[in-house]
């Protein structure tokens, strides 16, 4: 089993940047494909970005393409989400997930473990 802890969220203005981190522990990090999901008030948790087990393949939902970048650092057992040009509609709780397999995986049910989430609030 893998434990996930997100950090880096906060309150920012539209156009600002933010970097989220997800620290993993408990099992070998390289075993898992990883993903970032978000849940806005009154909405379902939805995919933001996902990365394959090796880090060689990535997926981004259309609304964040060109603005967000997901990466993983095997030496630190961490994954990151660099968010640039933030918009008010990016406001949500952001969750880190771990999935067994090669990936990338873009559906929530494919993930076995989740972090507690970190709040990102973007003011216009």
């Amino acid at each position: 089993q893998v434990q996930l802890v997100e950090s880096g969220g906060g309150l920012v203005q539209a156009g600002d940047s933010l970097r989220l981190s997800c620290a993993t522990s408990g099992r070998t990090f390289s075993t898992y494909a990883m993903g970032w999901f978000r849940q806005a008030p009154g909405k379902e948790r939805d995919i933001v970005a996902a990365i394959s087990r090796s880090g060689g393949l990535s997926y981004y939902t259309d609304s964040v393409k060109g603005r967000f970048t997901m990466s993983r650092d095997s030496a630190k057992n961490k994954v990151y989400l660099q968010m640039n040009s933030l918009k008010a509609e990016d406001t949500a709780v952001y969750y880190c997930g771990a999935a067994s397999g090669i990936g990338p995986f873009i559906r929530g049910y494919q993930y076995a473990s989740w972090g507690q989430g970190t709040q990102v609030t973007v003011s216009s």
Side-chain angles (χ1 to χ4, degrees):
Q1 181 67 14
V2 60
Q3 288 73 236
L4 310 174
V5 179
E6 303 95 335
S7 62
L11 174 62
V12 298
Q13 294 291 317
D16 285 351
S17 295
L18 207 57
R19 189 193 194 199
L20 305 184
S21 297
C22 175
T24 71
S25 63
R27 295 293 182 184
T28 303
F29 174 68
S30 60
T31 300
Y32 303 97
M34 304 294 292
W36 284 101
F37 288 70
R38 66 188 179 187
Q39 186 169 25
K43 296 185 177 180
E44 300 289 331
R45 183 163 58 186
D46 202 8
I47 184 69
V48 177
I51 195 165
S52 62
R53 189 167 62 193
S54 69
L57 295 172
S58 298
Y59 169 88
Y60 299 93
T61 194
D62 285 345
S63 62
V64 308
K65 287 180 179 177
R67 298 189 298 121
F68 291 10
T69 302
M70 185 177 182
S71 62
R72 61 191 301 162
D73 186 337
S74 295
K76 296 182 178 180
N77 295 327
K78 289 184 176 181
V79 293
Y80 305 94
L81 185 66
Q82 179 66 47
M83 305 185 294
N84 298 327
S85 302
L86 283 162
K87 304 175 180 179
E89 49 263 46
D90 294 318
T91 296
V93 177
Y94 283 70
Y95 297 91
C96 177
S100 298
I102 296 174
F105 301 110
I106 63 173
R107 296 299 185 96
Y109 64 78
Q110 297 176 299
Y111 288 78
S113 300
W114 298 96
Q116 83 290 345
T118 186
Q119 177 71 47
V120 173
T121 303
V122 184
S123 299
S124 299

